[in-house]
Structures are given as C-alpha cells and as structure tokens.
C-alpha cells in the first residue's frame, strides 16, 4: 500500500526528497492550495479534483510508492510569480494547481486534466508499467 507524506511548503518538500529520492523509488507529488481549518482549499480547482485524485491514488497507485501531498501555501503565496515562489521554478515548473507529477519523470497532469478519470488511470498505469521493468523498490 502506498504511503502518504503530507508536506507543507517548498523547504519541507526538498527535505523529504533528500530522505526518499532513491534511484528506483516511485514518488507521486500532488500539489494543491492551502486548506482551512475545515479541510477546504482556497483553490476552487483543487476542491473540484480532490475526490477524483484521491480515488485514483487508492485504485491505481503503485503499492510501493510514496504519495507526497504538497500544500503550496495560501493564495497570495501561490499567485506570486516572482522567483520567491520556488514551486514555479525547475524542477517542478508549476504553472497551475492542482498538479500531479511523477518525480524524476516528465509525466504530469495539470488543472482540469485531473478531472478526467481516463487520464488519471493512464498516468498511474504508465508508472506501474515502467516500474515493472525498472525494478521499483519500496520507498519507505
């Protein structure tokens, strides 16, 4: 079963990768806007895709994977297009949230692509098929 790793902010993400980013460790990263005390994000697109993404994680993610759920901050922090918002820079290159990435791979789904069950399934199936040939190891 995959392990969820809640992450808040860029520095926490970088620290987690230092610990978990082994050569064959499969890491999915789901980026979303900060949630309030009731668990609701300020980002309406993030709210719209949340159920579909959670279902896809349960049904399709690799059993040995890590799932980073990455809070990119409040609306003002996300809307900052300066280099201070490091999520917008390499290696993540986020232009919209929500976004789903596979670490060390070009596979990603952005924005309303996450509303499409067929695209979510394909995203995870591609990772599983590659991991069967590249000998993905447990990330824990």
């Amino acid at each position: 079963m995959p392990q969820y790793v809640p992450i808040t902010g860029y520095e926490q993400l970088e620290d987690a990768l230092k610990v978990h980013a082994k050569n064959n460790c499969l890491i999915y990263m789901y980026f979303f806007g900060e949630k309030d005390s009731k668990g609701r994000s300020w980002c309406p697109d993030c709210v719209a895709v949340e159920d579909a993404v959670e279902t896809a994680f349960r049904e399709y993610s690799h059993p040995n994977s890590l799932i980073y759920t990455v809070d990119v901050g409040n609306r003002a922090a996300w809307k900052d297009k300066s280099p201070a918002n490091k999520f917008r820079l390499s290696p993540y290159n986020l232009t919209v949230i929500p976004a789903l990435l596979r670490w060390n791979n070009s596979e990603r789904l952005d924005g309303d692509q996450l509303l499409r069950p067929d695209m979510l399934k394909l995203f995870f199936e591609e990772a599983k098929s590659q991991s069967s040939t590249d000998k993905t190891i447990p990330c824990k």
Side-chain angles (χ1 to χ4, degrees):
M1 178 168 189
Q3 177 183 347
Y4 286 81
V5 180
I7 293 175
T8 303
Y10 183 84
E11 286 75 22
Q12 243 186 47
L13 175 57
E14 292 295 298
D15 290 344
L17 284 170
K18 288 175 188 169
V19 173
H20 298 125
K22 301 170 188 165
N23 287 342
N24 291 330
C25 180
L26 177 56
I27 301 172
Y28 303 110
M29 298 178 176
Y30 173 58
F31 296 88
F32 61 91
E34 179 181 65
K35 294 182 178 183
D36 63 21
S37 61
K38 295 179 182 173
R40 191 165 176 90
S41 175
W42 60 262
C43 166
D45 294 337
C46 299
V47 173
V49 306
E50 189 169 16
D51 288 342
V53 170
E54 287 297 322
T55 298
F57 281 144
R58 280 193 310 276
E59 292 181 6
Y60 306 124
S61 62
H62 193 288
N64 290 338
S65 65
L66 288 177
I67 298 171
Y68 285 8
T69 54
V70 185
D71 175 341
V72 302
N74 63 32
R75 181 174 166 74
W78 170 250
K79 293 293 183 179
D80 181 356
K81 296 196 175 165
S82 78
N85 183 348
K86 295 181 180 177
F87 289 116
R88 294 185 179 272
L89 306 174
S90 182
Y92 311 108
N93 299 311
L94 297 182
T95 57
V96 300
I97 54 171
L100 179 62
L101 283 65
R102 181 176 167 204
W103 178 243
N104 276 340
N105 197 286
S106 61
E107 294 169 13
R108 69 185 300 143
L109 296 175
D110 293 310
D112 62 1
Q113 291 176 323
L114 293 166
L115 288 170
R116 296 194 42 201
D118 58 324
M119 291 186 80
L120 282 164
K121 184 176 181 183
L122 184 61
F123 176 87
F124 289 104
E125 284 180 350
E126 181 68 22
K128 281 183 180 177
S129 69
Q130 286 182 359
S131 68
S132 66
T133 59
D134 70 12
K135 308 294 187 242
T136 297
I137 60 172
C139 300
K140 303 159 185 136

